[in-house]
Amino acid sequence: MIDAGLILEGGGTRGVFTAGVLQYFMEQGLDLSYVIGVSAGACNAADYVSGQPLRSRQCMIDCLDKNSYIGLKILVKKKTVFDMDALFDVFPNKLYPFDYNTYFHSGKRCYFAATNCLTGRAEYLSEHRDRKRLMTICRASSSLPLFSKMVNVNGTPMLDGGLSDSVPIRKALRDGYRKNVVILTRNQGYRKKTNRRYNQVIRTVYRNYPNLVRTIIRRPYQYNRTMELIERLERDGRIFVIRPQTPAIHSTERNKETLKAFYSHGYEYAREIYPQLLEYLQVKKER
């Protein structure tokens, strides 16, 4: 196992890019000791630690023909863009079984970022024994404001981790990891913009959670600061960043062919940059 960090950004269905990258990594036996994921990145993190290279594809793309988890029908029926009951109960426990045993005995440090709705701060949660709590944490990390209900984790209401820490590189550095691989789902140079209308809705809907409101409104500023940090660390050769080289898809993309293409792009790009990654990690490639 390589003593290095793996930090995974979210982004809804853009996470298929990350899933493609991780499939290639797992096929090559790339075993990193520290993993932290946010939102869709949390789901990818779990499948990486459980050693299931195809599971993310099954849950995000292959299922669309018979067991769709996204769409207008889901929004009307469950008041959420994504069917969270399917993603974090039906899929892992019935249709696309999650390998809990391998996950719990992997030896990796794995965290999922979620936002505490009371404090507005990021919390980095882990679970090593309880199956239900593990999926509850993943669900909390992936629960979008406005479109998802708050998720109760140990008595605390939680929402999407991307609201407070979209790419937790600072967490990995604080935890002592000096070699870090960061997988982003946006193109290089992307910056978030303030949306005043969205902010007004947030103020109204979450008026009883002032710290959460403050965090959501400040998200573009915090996200852009994190991107500046990542780009600086990348220029200095201190982190290895993998990001899409083709235009990023929408976070709620439903077209199966579009999703497959973005997934394949992640896989092929991982193959392309793999020698440079091994050099960065100071791992000798077997002949």
Side-chain angles (χ1 to χ4, degrees):
M1 191 179 298
I2 302 170
D3 191 31
L6 178 63
I7 297 94
L8 308 178
E9 183 179 20
T13 53
R14 280 194 300 274
V16 297
F17 171 80
T18 302
V21 172
L22 294 181
Q23 180 188 340
Y24 185 79
F25 284 0
M26 284 188 269
E27 289 176 354
Q28 302 308 306
L30 186 68
D31 199 17
L32 304 182
S33 63
Y34 177 98
V35 186
I36 183 165
V38 183
S39 196
C43 301
N44 280 316
D47 290 339
Y48 175 77
V49 175
S50 70
Q52 295 175 274
L54 295 177
R55 186 175 179 277
S56 291
R57 177 188 172 112
Q58 292 172 334
C59 293
M60 300 179 76
I61 302 175
D62 298 345
C63 71
L64 291 177
D65 291 333
K66 296 181 179 180
N67 304 296
S68 182
Y69 61 91
I70 183 175
L72 183 58
K73 291 183 179 179
I74 301 297
L75 180 61
V76 171
K77 183 178 180 180
K78 300 203 172 187
K79 312 302 180 185
T80 177
V81 175
F82 301 98
D83 187 342
M84 307 300 273
D85 293 328
L87 288 170
F88 300 105
D89 183 10
V90 179
F91 283 12
N93 298 316
K94 296 178 182 178
L95 296 180
Y96 309 104
F98 181 77
D99 190 343
Y100 292 98
N101 188 58
T102 297
Y103 178 92
F104 290 141
H105 294 90
S106 69
K108 295 180 175 65
R109 296 177 67 186
C110 184
Y111 295 96
F112 307 100
T115 300
N116 184 318
C117 297
L118 302 179
T119 66
R121 296 177 180 175
E123 294 198 10
Y124 308 98
L125 308 169
S126 62
E127 178 53 52
H128 307 288
R129 290 178 295 182
D130 189 315
R131 296 184 175 198
K132 185 175 181 180
R133 184 173 185 273
L134 174 62
M135 287 302 154
T136 297
I137 289 172
C138 288
R139 180 171 183 157
S141 179
S142 307
S143 292
L144 298 171
L146 303 182
F147 295 106
S148 298
K149 296 178 180 179
M150 293 178 180
V151 178
N152 188 307
V153 180
N154 296 343
T156 301
M158 299 274 188
L159 278 176
D160 194 295
L163 303 175
S164 51
D165 194 354
S166 296
V167 188
I169 179 62
R170 295 180 183 86
K171 165 68 174 171
L173 293 172
R174 287 196 303 269
D175 284 348
Y177 288 83
R178 294 296 172 259
K179 291 282 185 178
N180 290 289
V181 181
V182 179
I183 304 181
L184 304 177
T185 58
R186 292 281 196 178
N187 302 108
Q188 186 165 14
Y190 173 79
R191 295 293 187 271
K192 287 191 180 297
K193 298 179 180 179
T194 298
N195 185 326
R196 293 183 178 179
R197 183 174 297 179
Y198 173 77
N199 288 347
Q200 188 55 50
V201 174
I202 289 295
R203 288 190 181 95
T204 301
V205 174
Y206 298 112
R207 58 186 175 277
N208 295 326
Y209 298 88
N211 292 323
L212 175 65
V213 170
R214 188 178 303 110
T215 293
I216 295 176
I217 290 175
R218 284 176 54 83
R219 187 189 182 197
Y221 171 74
Q222 295 294 350
Y223 181 91
N224 295 343
R225 280 189 61 199
T226 298
M227 288 302 108
E228 290 166 5
L229 171 63
I230 286 173
E231 290 168 4
R232 184 166 67 251
L233 293 173
E234 183 182 20
R235 287 194 300 269
D236 294 342
R238 295 175 58 190
I239 62 174
F240 194 94
V241 182
I242 302 172
R243 53 172 69 84
Q245 303 300 297
T246 61
I249 64 174
H250 194 273
S251 63
T252 57
E253 177 61 58
R254 297 171 53 200
N255 184 280
K256 191 172 181 179
E257 294 307 312
T258 301
L259 292 169
K260 287 169 63 175
F262 204 49
Y263 181 94
S264 296
H265 172 55
Y267 183 91
E268 294 301 328
Y269 186 59
R271 185 206 304 271
E272 179 184 333
I273 54 86
Y274 196 64
Q276 295 97 295
L277 174 59
L278 293 182
E279 183 178 353
Y280 166 76
L281 294 171
Q282 299 180 331
V283 176
K284 292 184 179 179
K285 186 175 182 180
E286 296 183 3
R287 296 182 178 180

